[in-house]
Amino acid sequence: MVHYSVSPRVKAGYPTEEPSWPDGLNISIEPSDFMAYPNETYISTLTVTTTPDLLQGEYVFRLGSHFEGVETGGGWLTVVVN
């Protein structure tokens, strides 16, 4: 079983607390959970939506992936609002 997640950047000094999402910004991954089989290709779509109320700036998020409950990778996503 594979699980993808997106979370706001963890700020220094708050390692056990997850910062809140900015008002007006939503990021989703579909599908975020699926069963993977050898020699198959899987595609998930990452969608970023905003509202006009979202303040200009740079927003950083952590992309995570887990396979059978073990973190297998991830990366960073930066959303720039002009």
Side-chain angles (χ1 to χ4, degrees), residues 2-21:
V2 175
H3 172 73
Y4 291 130
S5 62
V6 179
S7 59
R9 177 179 60 185
V10 176
K11 297 179 181 177
Y14 302 97
T16 59
E17 296 179 22
E18 187 172 290
S20 61
W21 285 86

Side-chain angles (χ1 to χ4, degrees), residues 3-41:
H3 172 73
Y4 291 130
S5 62
V6 179
S7 59
R9 177 179 60 185
V10 176
K11 297 179 181 177
Y14 302 97
T16 59
E17 296 179 22
E18 187 172 290
S20 61
W21 285 86
D23 290 336
L25 177 63
N26 185 49
I27 299 174
S28 62
I29 301 175
E30 292 296 329
S32 60
D33 297 294
F34 56 90
M35 184 60 69
Y37 297 96
N39 302 316
E40 296 291 329
T41 300

Side-chain angles (χ1 to χ4, degrees), residues 17-77:
E17 296 179 22
E18 187 172 290
S20 61
W21 285 86
D23 290 336
L25 177 63
N26 185 49
I27 299 174
S28 62
I29 301 175
E30 292 296 329
S32 60
D33 297 294
F34 56 90
M35 184 60 69
Y37 297 96
N39 302 316
E40 296 291 329
T41 300
Y42 301 91
I43 297 173
S44 290
T45 301
L46 185 133
T47 303
V48 177
T49 56
T50 64
T51 67
D53 300 333
L54 182 62
L55 298 176
Q56 290 186 2
E58 196 171 276
Y59 300 90
V60 180
F61 299 89
R62 172 87 171 120
L63 300 174
S65 63
H66 296 82
F67 178 72
E68 294 295 322
V70 176
E71 187 169 344
T72 57
W76 298 97
L77 168 70

